Amino acid sequence: MSTTKKVLTIIFSILIIGVLAFLLTWGIINWSKVKDGMAGNGLYTQEDVQKSYEDGYSTALKDKDEYDKLINSYRDTITTQNDLISQYTSEATALNNSIKDYQGQVATLNEQRAALETQIETLNTIKASNEITITELNGQIAELSTQILTLQGNKDENERQIAALTEQLTNLQNLNTQLQENNALNAKTINGLNAQIASLNNQIADLTLQTQNNSSVVNALNAKIAELQKSVSYYEQYLSTLESGEQVVATFEFDGSVYNIQVVNKNSLLTVATPPSTAYVIFNGWTVDGEPIDLATYRITTNTKIVADVTHKCEVNFMVDGENYHNEIVLKNAKVTPPAAPTKNGYVFEGWTIDGNSVVNLNAYTVTQNVTFTAKFTKQYSVVFKYEDTTLKN
């Protein structure tokens, strides 16, 4: 063997060993990530499951022990998440029972408050009636007092009549005093009842706040439960895929999010609903590794990400004094064509701003998201030069 061939053989062997070492290192690193991800703590989102599946699938199939570990890790995760679902469901049930109890207490307090308000209304009616009677009695007392004074002018002849009128006067004064005392007592009672109503209102407000807080916690728990149930569903789906060996996973992505996941037999055709286009996101078709595909003829043979080719557009608005002056929809990362400069009496148009201060150079501005430009004006002032009554310059 010549020296050149020996050198080439050594170089080729080193390259092969390097590639193998890289693949082994990559497998070990990614398998550690999978085992960490399968610890079973916290919530697992759709993206978490997809990543752990992709990282672990190829490595696990190379080694039966590692394959079994991956399967058991998925099963342990499903068990952990089902336990979390049971825990959250119990907490939500307990909180819902508390909410029902609070609602019952609030209903009882509302009944008590209504009864107190009825008592207050009755007492106020009595108090008003007493005040009318007191006014009438005061008039009668004044009239009797006048009659007594008149009769006292001829005391000897009118002594008996004076005595009768004096007795009537005393009775009216006593009745008047009694009614005033009753009104004072009623006023005190009304104040006490109002204090009780204020206390009931505070209790009702506290119970209502606790009910609202519990409802918020219940909603959060229900959201966690729904996310966990989705995660369990994904894991069960992937377990089925791993164990069958005859199926593959097709993941459709649209505008940066998972649009659809399908587990199908190898060499199958795929069907999926066409994503709806909007004024800002336009669906152009499906791609694999950046190349366009036709789902009518494309057959899947391995786990594949199918990504939507989309065109993004952005809305651009131009505002003048709070009113829409012009708007247009442009391609993302494109330049915008500014409208004709607006005019305003007594002002000079300086340009278009985003923050209200700094004028933007629209010739160099690239649209990356929906944006609103606001017109910036500078006020003009009139300057007059005069000498005595003669205008020199304006």
Side-chain angles (χ1 to χ4, degrees):
M1 183 181 290
S2 66
T3 303
T4 303
K5 288 184 178 179
K6 288 181 180 180
V7 171
L8 291 174
T9 300
I10 292 171
I11 293 173
F12 183 69
S13 299
I14 292 172
L15 288 174
I16 292 175
I17 293 170
V19 170
L20 291 174
F22 170 77
L23 292 174
L24 179 61
T25 303
W26 182 90
I28 292 172
I29 292 172
N30 283 276
W31 177 241
S32 298
K33 292 179 181 178
V34 174
K35 289 193 289 186
D36 291 340
M38 298 300 102
N41 298 319
L43 294 177
Y44 292 83
T45 65
Q46 183 172 336
E47 289 76 13
D48 294 332
V49 179
Q50 180 70 20
K51 185 176 185 305
S52 66
Y53 175 78
E54 292 172 347
D55 288 347
Y57 185 75
S58 58
T59 303
L61 291 181
K62 295 176 184 177
D63 188 301
K64 181 64 171 63
D65 290 338
E66 293 298 313
Y67 176 85
D68 290 339
K69 287 179 183 178
L70 182 64
I71 293 289
N72 291 332
S73 295
Y74 283 147
R75 288 198 176 108
D76 290 343
T77 300
I78 290 173
T79 300
T80 300
Q81 293 191 342
N82 279 327
D83 290 342
L84 283 173
I85 289 172
S86 298
Q87 175 189 333
Y88 291 150
T89 301
S90 297
E91 292 178 14
T93 300
L95 287 171
N96 279 323
N97 290 336
S98 297
I99 289 171
K100 290 179 181 178
D101 181 52
Y102 292 152
Q103 289 171 340
Q105 293 182 47
V106 168
T108 301
L109 291 173
N110 279 326
E111 290 175 0
Q112 294 178 16
R113 181 174 64 183
L116 291 175
E117 289 172 344
T118 300
Q119 291 182 46
I120 290 173
E121 185 177 355
T122 301
L123 289 172
N124 277 324
T125 301
I126 294 172
K127 183 170 173 288
S129 177
N130 286 345
E131 288 172 349
I132 293 172
T133 304
I134 288 170
T135 301
E136 292 175 352
L137 289 174
N138 283 330
Q140 295 177 31
I141 288 170
E143 185 179 346
L144 288 174
S145 297
T146 301
Q147 291 180 36
I148 290 170
L149 288 174
T150 301
L151 292 171
Q152 282 178 344
N154 192 357
K155 186 176 181 182
D156 293 338
E157 295 179 4
N158 300 322
E159 187 172 351
R160 183 180 296 173
Q161 191 173 357
I162 289 172
L165 291 174
T166 300
E167 184 179 356
Q168 290 182 39
L169 179 62
T170 301
N171 291 336
L172 290 175
Q173 289 173 334
N174 290 336
L175 178 58
N176 196 5
T177 300
Q178 183 179 357
L179 289 173
Q180 289 177 344
E181 290 174 353
N182 287 341
N183 267 8
L185 180 61
N186 286 344
K188 185 176 181 181
T189 303
I190 289 170
N191 290 336
L193 292 174
N194 281 327
Q196 291 181 48
I197 288 175
S199 176
L200 289 175
N201 285 335
N202 289 335
Q203 293 179 55
I204 290 170
D206 290 341
L207 289 172
T208 301
L209 179 60
Q210 291 180 43
T211 299
Q212 292 171 347
N213 290 341
N214 282 2
S215 296
S216 298
V217 176
V218 169
N219 290 337
L221 287 173
N222 285 334
K224 288 183 180 180
I225 289 170
E227 187 66 32
L228 283 169
Q229 288 171 336
K230 273 206 255 178
S231 182
V232 168
S233 175
Y234 294 140
Y235 274 108
E236 289 175 342
Q237 184 183 55
Y238 286 132
L239 266 177
S240 174
T241 303
L242 282 172
E243 291 174 327
S244 70
E246 296 299 323
Q247 293 183 310
V248 290
V249 179
T251 303
F252 291 85
E253 291 187 1
F254 176 71
D255 198 23
S257 300
V258 173
Y259 176 73
N260 181 270
I261 296 178
Q262 299 180 21
V263 179
V264 298
N265 293 328
K266 290 181 179 179
N267 208 39
S268 296
L269 292 173
L270 300 169
T271 58
V272 67
T274 301
S277 295
T278 67
Y280 308 106
V281 181
I282 301 171
F283 173 72
N284 301 317
W286 296 108
T287 68
V288 174
D289 295 330
E291 296 297 325
I293 64 167
D294 182 1
L295 288 185
T297 58
Y298 179 80
R299 293 187 177 275
I300 186 169
T301 58
T302 185
N303 298 332
T304 305
K305 276 187 181 180
I306 303 172
V307 181
D309 175 36
V310 297
T311 299
H312 290 92
K313 291 189 175 184
C314 303
E315 183 175 5
V316 181
N317 288 291
F318 293 84
M319 305 294 291
V320 176
D321 289 341
E323 295 184 358
N324 197 312
Y325 179 73
H326 175 76
N327 70 290
E328 58 184 277
I329 296 177
V330 302
L331 289 172
K332 186 176 181 180
N333 298 319
K335 304 293 184 184
V336 62
T337 302
T343 59
K344 185 177 179 181
N345 289 335
Y347 291 82
V348 173
F349 175 68
E350 296 291 340
W352 298 103
T353 75
I354 294 178
D355 59 7
N357 296 312
S358 303
V359 173
V360 177
N361 180 7
L362 293 183
N363 292 326
Y365 185 84
T366 300
V367 178
T368 58
Q369 60 185 355
N370 295 341
V371 64
T372 297
F373 295 100
T374 304
K376 182 178 181 180
F377 294 94
T378 299
K379 185 173 178 58
Q380 289 183 312
Y381 295 92
S382 175
V383 180
V384 178
F385 294 87
K386 300 184 72 173
Y387 176 73
E388 294 182 347
D389 292 332
T390 303
T391 299
L392 301 179
K393 187 176 182 181
N394 188 347

